[in-house]
Each structure stands twice: as structure tokens, then as C-alpha cells.
Amino acid sequence: MPIEPSAIHAARERIAGRVRRTPLGASRSLTERCGVPVALKLEHQQVTGSFKVRGATNAVLALSDEQKARGIVGVSTGNHGRGLAHAAKEAGVRCIICMSSLVPANKVEGIKALGAEVRIVGASQDEAQEVVDRLVADEGMTMLPPFDHPDIIAGQGTLGLEIVEDQPDVETVLVPLSGGGLIAGVALAVKSLRPSARIVGVSMERGAAMIQSLRAGAPVFVQEVATLADSLGGGIGLQNQHTFAMVRDLVDETVTLTEADIAEGIRHAYWHEMEIIEGSGAVGLGALVAGKVRPIGPTVVVLSGRNIDMTLHHRLISGDTVEV
Ligand SMILES: *Cc1c(COP(=O)(O)O)cnc(C)c1O
């Protein structure tokens, strides 16, 4: 394993007091529907509205003084950018975020409001990455990637420690899956404390880069496509160093959702749980509602973020079929 459970415990101490320890709440409606206790990890209540600030804060605080003085750069579909911007501002570090033009306007504004500089470049994360590479080479800034970095994975893993603390008998954990930083950290944390627990990764059918890579046995290029789960877009990197192997070795099962399933997850969150959740954050709910995962034993669903365009959210919960 590229990281040990001890790295997650160290991350927890480093970020304590700087990110929220989010609550775990029982879902009465899913408990009735599934016939097992189902609880929701309310991580959309995290500062910046998603778990990404855990990894970002851990990674920024782990930099040397020299690195902090030169600043950080990142590529982001939105939530990672928000996390980096917040973490950098709190630590008094300069931050530039590069992103593709597919990123929704609410996310761009959110990042600017957190004090970071934003550069919009091209229609894919890979193109934005080239600009980042130049800033690293020319200005000595440090690039912090959204998932494939030990400090990022360890930071996301702190969420897994909290799950087992609050639900010690957990048997199934549903986790949104894109680049795999979240699920790798959560799986390592949960299994280190509760080896019998089953970790299930949930992605969208449109452009599930990690799942296609797992099937191929190595990281593959996957075309980025617009989806309601926009925070799950993007590749895993053909040179993936950490998350591909961790997901392959630690994740027990993966499932993919249609756009209609994702919309149902968002609707379920609102009408039954009274929570506003973005598409990517609602895929665990969507998987249970669609019957695509059979929950065995006490089950925890990670609600990973809430940063959705509110006009889109309003249309979805009103019953519209939305093509993105
Ligand atoms: C980034 C993100 C994910 C996926 O995390 P990975 O570490 O890339 O797998 C899931 N949900 C939300 C809300 C996100 O922002």
C-alpha cells in the first residue's frame, strides 16, 4: 500500500479544528426500504460543501515553509479547487486554480470567492494540467492533485475513521468514485478498524474512468462527458501512482448509475432526507434507490458534496427530466 493507516491518523491530528467532524445521521426511509440500518455520512455539511477540503488541508499543512512561500496550483472540476482555495487561504498561501470550461459557473464563482486565482483553460482536465505544469516549472509552485497524492488520500481517509467511530458495526459503505482518492482513503481507514466491512464504489455510466481502468487492468483514457454527477468527471491519469492500485486492492464492488438514477438520488435526498445534495454526492443514495447495491448489515452512505447549481436542483426536485 502506498499509504498506511497511520498516515490517516496523522492527517486527522493535523487537520483537527480546521475542518468539520461531520455527523452521521440515520435514514429512516432507507432503513425501512432496505431492511437494514442505513445511516448517512453528512459530508456535504463540510466547510466548502465537500470532503475535498480534508485532503487539501492535510496536503497544504504538510508542505515545507519554502513550498508554502511559493504557493500552490491545482486543476479542478470545482470541489477540489474550493478545498485548495480554502486550505491555502487559511494557511496564508498563494493559490492558482486551473479548470476546464465544462465546470459549472456556480463552482467557478465559489472558488474565486474563497480568494484563489482562477484560470479557465480548454475543455478537459488534461489541457488544464499543461498550464499547471508550466506554473510548477517556471514559478516553483507546488501542484496538489485532486486524488493521486498520499497526503490527499490520507486527508480524505479521516472521513472513514469518523464513520467507524460513529457506527462501529458498519458492514457496507457506499462511496462516490471518480479518481478514487476518497474511496481509497475511506477503504483503508474503515478496513483497518473493521476488516469485515464491504466498500462499494459508485460512479456514473457516462465516463467512469476508474471502473473502466479496473476492467482493463491498467489506467485507460476515458472521454470526459457532461453528467449530472459533474464532480465525478475526468480521467484517473495514465501515470496513476496510488489510487488505481488502492482501489483495485481495497474496494469490494463497483456499480454505475444512469443519469435517471442520479436524478433519483438527488430527489430522494431532498424529499426523504431533507438534504440538498449535488449529483456526485447523491450516487450512493441513487444506487440504493435503484436497487443496484444490496446492502448487507449496517450500511453507511457517504453524501460527499452539496455544490449543485440551485436552478438545476430546483428543476430536478420538481420532477423535470434534465439533459446536461
Ligand atoms: C471529488 C468528488 C468525488 C470523487 O472523489 P474521488 O477522490 O475523485 O474519487 C465525489 N463527490 C464529490 C462531491 C466530489 O467533489
Side-chain angles (χ1 to χ4, degrees), residues 174-199:
L174 278 74
V175 187
L177 170 58
S178 175
L182 174 62
I183 203 168
V186 167
L188 187 64
V190 168
K191 291 193 171 191
S192 72
L193 300 170
R194 179 93 182 145
S196 66
R198 186 172 62 119
I199 310 292

Side-chain angles (χ1 to χ4, degrees), residues 300-322:
V300 171
V301 183
V302 176
L303 306 186
S304 54
R306 67 163 182 223
N307 293 319
I308 187 168
D309 180 283
M310 287 306 285
T311 308
L312 169 64
H313 188 268
H314 184 256
R315 289 174 57 201
L316 286 166
I317 57 144
S318 306
D320 281 11
T321 308
V322 177

Side-chain angles (χ1 to χ4, degrees), residues 50-52 79 146-147 176-183 231-232 278 280-281 304-305:
S50 89
F51 70 89
K52 290 266 190 353
N79 283 333
F147 50 86
L177 170 58
S178 175
L182 174 62
I183 203 168
S231 298
L232 302 186
E278 63 177 282
S280 308
S304 54

Side-chain angles (χ1 to χ4, degrees), residues 11-12 14-16 18-20 43 46-64 67-68 71-76 78-97 111 114 116 142-159 181-182:
R12 190 177 197 188
R14 199 179 280 131
I15 69 177
R18 297 169 191 269
V19 306
R20 267 179 214 148
E43 186 66 13
Q46 187 52 262
V47 228
T48 73
S50 89
F51 70 89
K52 290 266 190 353
V53 74
R54 293 179 186 257
T57 301
N58 188 46
V60 167
L61 293 177
L63 294 175
S64 69
Q67 289 171 316
K68 284 181 186 156
I72 60 165
V73 277
V75 185
S76 174
N79 283 333
H80 175 57
R82 261 183 212 226
L84 287 182
H86 180 85
K89 193 175 182 203
E90 292 292 303
V93 169
R94 181 183 181 205
C95 176
I96 301 178
I97 303 297
I111 288 168
L114 287 167
T142 300
M143 200 275 291
L144 290 177
F147 50 86
D148 200 22
H149 186 294
D151 295 332
I152 299 284
I153 298 167
Q156 323 304 30
T158 59
L159 186 160
L182 174 62

Side-chain angles (χ1 to χ4, degrees), residues 246-297:
M246 289 183 76
V247 172
R248 182 192 59 205
D249 296 347
L250 293 170
V251 173
D252 300 280
E253 189 182 328
T254 57
V255 291
T256 56
L257 301 192
T258 64
E259 294 298 298
D261 295 335
I262 298 166
E264 281 307 318
I266 294 170
R267 292 189 189 108
H268 176 91
Y270 187 78
W271 293 111
H272 297 274
E273 316 293 348
M274 300 181 199
E275 304 286 354
I276 293 170
I277 307 293
E278 63 177 282
S280 308
V283 293
L285 298 173
L288 285 183
V289 171
K292 289 194 169 172
V293 173
R294 199 161 70 88
I296 302 166

Side-chain angles (χ1 to χ4, degrees), residues 132-254:
V132 167
D133 293 344
R134 248 176 287 142
L135 286 166
V136 170
D138 299 347
E139 299 188 33
M141 300 182 84
T142 300
M143 200 275 291
L144 290 177
F147 50 86
D148 200 22
H149 186 294
D151 295 332
I152 299 284
I153 298 167
Q156 323 304 30
T158 59
L159 186 160
L161 298 179
E162 295 171 10
I163 288 176
V164 183
E165 271 171 16
D166 290 349
Q167 183 86 48
D169 60 353
V170 63
E171 284 298 348
T172 304
V173 185
L174 278 74
V175 187
L177 170 58
S178 175
L182 174 62
I183 203 168
V186 167
L188 187 64
V190 168
K191 291 193 171 191
S192 72
L193 300 170
R194 179 93 182 145
S196 66
R198 186 172 62 119
I199 310 292
V200 182
V202 190
S203 298
M204 66 292 173
E205 275 176 9
R206 290 187 178 174
M210 180 62 83
I211 294 176
Q212 290 189 33
S213 298
L214 290 172
R215 284 194 194 123
V220 292
F221 174 78
V222 175
Q223 189 67 44
E224 197 173 338
V225 196
T227 163
L228 284 174
D230 56 288
S231 298
L232 302 186
I236 69 164
L238 294 178
Q239 309 300 323
N240 188 291
Q241 300 280 303
H242 310 290
T243 58
F244 174 75
M246 289 183 76
V247 172
R248 182 192 59 205
D249 296 347
L250 293 170
V251 173
D252 300 280
E253 189 182 328
T254 57

